[in-house]
Amino acid sequence: MNNFIERLFADQYRTLLFSKGFSEGAIFGFECNDGWANLIEATLRLTQQHAEPKALNVKVTQAKEKFGQLRIYHSESDKVIDSVFEIAQLASSSICELCGKPGEVVSHEGWLVARCGNHSGKGHLDRIEAHIVDQKYITSYTQAVDAILSFFGEGAVVWVQQERTAFAGRRPCELLATEEGCQAIYLMLKRLEYGVGV
């Protein structure tokens, strides 16, 4: 991940990424490409929102790509925050690690990677544009995952992995790759919460 994005994360989420004795200007060192930056920011924001009221001292110890998914290793969390990170891992497999567009895990030169159609073919790589922060996606993702956690509790991770009739047989973790998908999940859960038929 480029240093500019890492510095932004270090400024915004320093309590999650560093111990108290860290030096100014320190960089955490995310071991993945920029396409997952919005997903990472949404996950860190959600983690901070859940950790602060409970005075949890959550620390992210490592964040990297492994088998085509984002893996965020952490300590001193609770079950809710564990679920936040697990849901991000599942969602990452539907987001291109290079550009952030919807994608899937494919085999590329013997490695499992998350790629969109433009970045999955051998020798067929579109130019990767500079990362743009998508606040609408970040907000929609945090709302959707927060609603999932509130509605399903400890069953949230299982729920996002299973195909759902309400989403034309798609899995919610796939929908979490886009702002529109996040909004669809949020609206459906809010309707269920208020007893409105889906």
Side-chain angles (χ1 to χ4, degrees), residues 153-165:
E154 292 184 16
V157 175
V158 173
W159 185 81
V160 299
Q161 295 180 71
Q162 297 174 343
E163 294 176 355
R164 300 287 162 196
T165 306

Side-chain angles (χ1 to χ4, degrees), residues 10 14 29 73-74 85 87 106 117 127 135 150 152 161-162 168 177 187 192 196:
R14 66 183 57 170
Y73 302 99
H74 58 284
F85 289 123
I87 291 170
V106 296
R127 190 173 67 82
Q135 286 298 336
S150 296
F152 296 103
Q161 295 180 71
Q162 297 174 343
L187 288 173
L192 289 175
V196 179

